[in-house]
Amino acid sequence: MTAIEQYLIDTYRAAQHRDAPPPPPGRHDAAVVRAARTYARFQAVVDGRAAQHPWRAAVRRLLTRPRPC
């Protein structure tokens, strides 16, 4: 069952019980990514490491990746 199908079933059930419909799939994806990034930076500070900007680490990984010959 896909996420859309499950969403439609949940929406139907909510309508039958006169409850509020659930949020559509993917609505809070950006907030989840932001929260995970914030938690990773917080955990770095708690562990005593420097909390670096996530884009710098991503660019560094791309630039230092070994290239196949």
Side-chain angles (χ1 to χ4, degrees), residues 37 41 50-65:
R37 183 181 63 211
R41 293 179 77 190
Q52 298 177 353
H53 195 277
W55 290 106
R56 288 183 193 159
V59 169
R60 187 180 313 112
R61 280 193 305 269
L62 286 173
L63 294 177
T64 60
R65 181 178 296 169

Side-chain angles (χ1 to χ4, degrees), residues 2-59:
T2 65
I4 296 296
E5 292 170 341
Q6 184 64 46
Y7 171 70
L8 293 174
I9 291 172
D10 292 342
T11 303
Y12 174 76
R13 288 181 183 158
Q16 294 297 315
H17 295 284
R18 294 187 175 98
D19 291 337
R27 182 172 186 173
H28 302 292
D29 288 353
V32 169
V33 171
R34 242 182 273 118
R37 183 181 63 211
T38 303
Y39 178 76
R41 293 179 77 190
F42 169 76
Q43 198 61 37
V45 171
V46 169
D47 292 343
R49 296 179 282 129
Q52 298 177 353
H53 195 277
W55 290 106
R56 288 183 193 159
V59 169

